[in-house]
């Protein structure tokens, strides 16, 4: 079946270092979404990318959608302890059904 | 007001029991979902419900049965609970299939 692969599974960084997580889909997506789940919390929607090659920024977070609409990345500049959590990408397939979630990247930040 | 609310937040029960988890959304969304999150944090779709159409994930044991009395509610009933059912269960909703999801706060189920 259709899959969304996400790497790395874990990332440990020193506060102030940058962080990137990558997603790759086996098929073309109608859009890709990113979610953040804090420890003990629930996934919270961050952003949706729709257009081929789209780049969006939210403060220190930069999101990219590939030209073929099959891959995406989330980059955090100068991580802070508040960035700790698991980041999920989720690929949308239009009218073909529910989002396909990646397995997530768990980010830990050492102060 | 909470957009997607689940009850209970915690559920501890013995093997073999039957339990239900309730979910309600006040966003006016047409589509609701149940996800299971295991200890590795993987989010696995269990059910999707769009208006009157229920889509069942074939990997889900038939001990799990969703019930939707109306568009705003999608409850989850589990029969004959097993140790392996221990997990966090999330309800979510969205306007349409590929719009963003709003998740509930989760129900942590522990089967002993």
């Amino acid at each position: 079946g259709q899959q969304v692969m996400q790497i790395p599974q874990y990332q440990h960084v020193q506060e102030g270092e940058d962080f990137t997580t990558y997603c790759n889909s086996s098929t073309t997506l109608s859009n890709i979404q990113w979610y953040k789940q804090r420890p003990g919390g629930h996934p919270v929607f961050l952003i949706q990318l729709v257009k081929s090659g789209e780049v969006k920024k939210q403060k220190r977070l930069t999101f990219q959608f590939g030209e073929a609409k099959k891959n995406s990345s989330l980059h955090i500049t100068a991580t802070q302890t508040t960035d700790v959590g698991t980041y999920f990408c989720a690929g949308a397939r239009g009218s073909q059904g529910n989002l396909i979630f990646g397995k997530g990247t768990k980010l830990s930040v050492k102060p | 007001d909470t957009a997607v609310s689940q009850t209970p937040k915690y559920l501890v029960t013995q093997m073999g029991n039957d339990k239900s988890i309730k979910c309600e959304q006040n966003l006016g969304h047409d589509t609701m979902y149940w996800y299971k999150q295991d200890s590795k944090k993987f989010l696995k779709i269990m059910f999707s419900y769009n208006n009157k159409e229920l889509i069942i994930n074939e990997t889900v044991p038939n001990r799990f049965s969703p019930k939707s009395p109306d568009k705003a509610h999608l409850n989850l009933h589990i029969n004959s609970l097993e140790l392996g059912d221990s997990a966090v269960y999330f309800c979510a909703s969205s306007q349409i299939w590929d719009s963003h999801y709003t998740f509930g706060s989760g129900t942590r189920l522990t089967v002993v």
Side-chain angles (χ1 to χ4, degrees), chain A residues 35-95:
Chain A
Y35 293 77
K36 177 183 179 181
Q37 183 177 16
R38 294 181 185 274
H42 58 278
V44 174
F45 172 73
L46 293 176
I47 208 160
Q48 177 175 293
L49 303 169
V50 180
K51 299 177 183 177
S52 169
E54 189 170 14
V55 178
K56 287 188 176 181
K57 292 189 176 184
Q58 289 180 349
K59 297 183 181 178
R60 295 177 294 103
L61 278 61
T62 302
F63 304 85
Q64 293 188 343
F65 200 11
E67 294 290 339
K69 299 184 72 172
K70 287 186 175 183
N71 60 289
S72 181
S73 64
L74 158 59
H75 179 82
I76 303 178
T77 304
T79 54
Q80 300 175 358
T81 54
T82 53
D83 295 325
V84 164
T86 301
Y87 292 84
F88 293 95
C89 63
R93 304 173 291 164
S95 60

Side-chain angles (χ1 to χ4, degrees), chain A residues 35-38 40-45 101, chain B residues 1-9 21-27 29 31-37 43 72 74 88-94 100-108:
Chain A
Y35 293 77
K36 177 183 179 181
Q37 183 177 16
R38 294 181 185 274
H42 58 278
V44 174
F45 172 73
F101 279 84
Chain B
D1 285 339
T2 305
V4 180
S5 59
Q6 288 179 237
T7 54
K9 191 169 177 63
I21 306 172
K22 295 185 177 181
C23 179
E24 176 182 3
Q25 55 98 0
N26 62 6
L27 298 167
H29 286 167
T31 310
M32 295 184 73
Y33 314 85
W34 277 108
Y35 278 84
K36 179 180 179 181
Q37 187 172 52
L43 283 165
L74 182 62
V88 180
Y89 292 84
F90 287 104
C91 176
S93 72
S94 66
H100 76 270
Y101 288 12
T102 302
F103 282 83
S105 58
T107 296
R108 182 173 293 277

Side-chain angles (χ1 to χ4, degrees), chain A residues 88-106:
Chain A
F88 293 95
C89 63
R93 304 173 291 164
S95 60
Q96 294 181 40
N98 54 278
L99 296 180
I100 306 295
F101 279 84
K103 292 188 175 181
T105 297
K106 185 176 181 179

